Amino acid sequence: MSNQFEVDNGRRNVVKALGGLAAGTLLPAPWVHAAPNTIKIGYVSPQTGPLAVFAEPDAFTLGEMKKALAGGIKVLELPDEDRDFDGLSAATDVGPVIVVATHLDQNLPRKRMTEVHELGHIVTSMAAGVDEKTEEKLVAAFAGAFLLPRESFVEAFGQHREKFTVAELVAIKARFGASILAIMRRALSLKLITERTYKGFCVRTSKLGWRS
């Protein structure tokens, strides 16, 4: 089954959205940049065969996403040299809004992850009482699954890996448009690598100063 949702980031709606955010961001409209096109998000899941059981929650999931995206999502790009700020999402009078810092144009995998992470905050429904740390973990899992779908990712990465080369990871990065760190987190979540392997990788990349 394939479904599509439209995310409207037209300039007119972006300016309106910024008005809804003004009280929270205190930013004037002239600082907003936006692309004029409509982005279509596809959703594919198995409806028959042995994997169909995994599609049972689809009706609820798609229903919630359609509600959240019914009026479109406005995407704002904010010039901000504060490297500690990547993006945010918010509910406004004109619908959900995602704000992304323009400094991420220098790191497109990180920008893509930020956009999908904030999309996760919009389309996922959290149970009452879920704390912020848990919510961030769940949304991060959503973003990883969105950018690195299980079947195609497992095919590219392989199973039960202990050793891998930088060239392999760079090739996977080029295929999926995700950072190497996101690739390794996804591999850990799918149990393709052990916690020990992941921690060892993080120690090495931290020494090298990797962030993508």
Side-chain angles (χ1 to χ4, degrees), residues 108-176:
L108 294 181
R110 185 174 166 190
K111 180 178 183 180
R112 190 175 292 112
M113 177 60 77
T114 297
E115 292 168 337
V116 176
H117 182 95
E118 298 305 331
L119 175 65
H121 278 295
I122 292 171
V123 301
T124 55
S125 298
M126 297 293 168
V130 172
D131 60 70
E132 183 178 353
K133 185 176 181 180
T134 300
E135 179 177 350
E136 287 298 320
K137 285 184 178 180
L138 292 172
V139 170
F142 167 90
F146 189 102
L147 292 176
L148 301 160
R150 177 192 294 266
E151 186 175 342
S152 54
F153 178 70
V154 172
E155 178 186 0
F157 189 88
Q159 300 192 44
H160 309 302
R161 299 292 303 273
E162 293 184 3
K163 297 181 179 180
F164 26 78
T165 66
V166 172
E168 283 183 279
L169 297 176
V170 169
I172 296 173
K173 174 180 177 178
R175 175 176 174 180
F176 292 95

Side-chain angles (χ1 to χ4, degrees), residues 1 65 92 122 138 208:
M1 177 178 67
M65 290 186 71
T92 75
I122 292 171
L138 292 172
L208 293 173

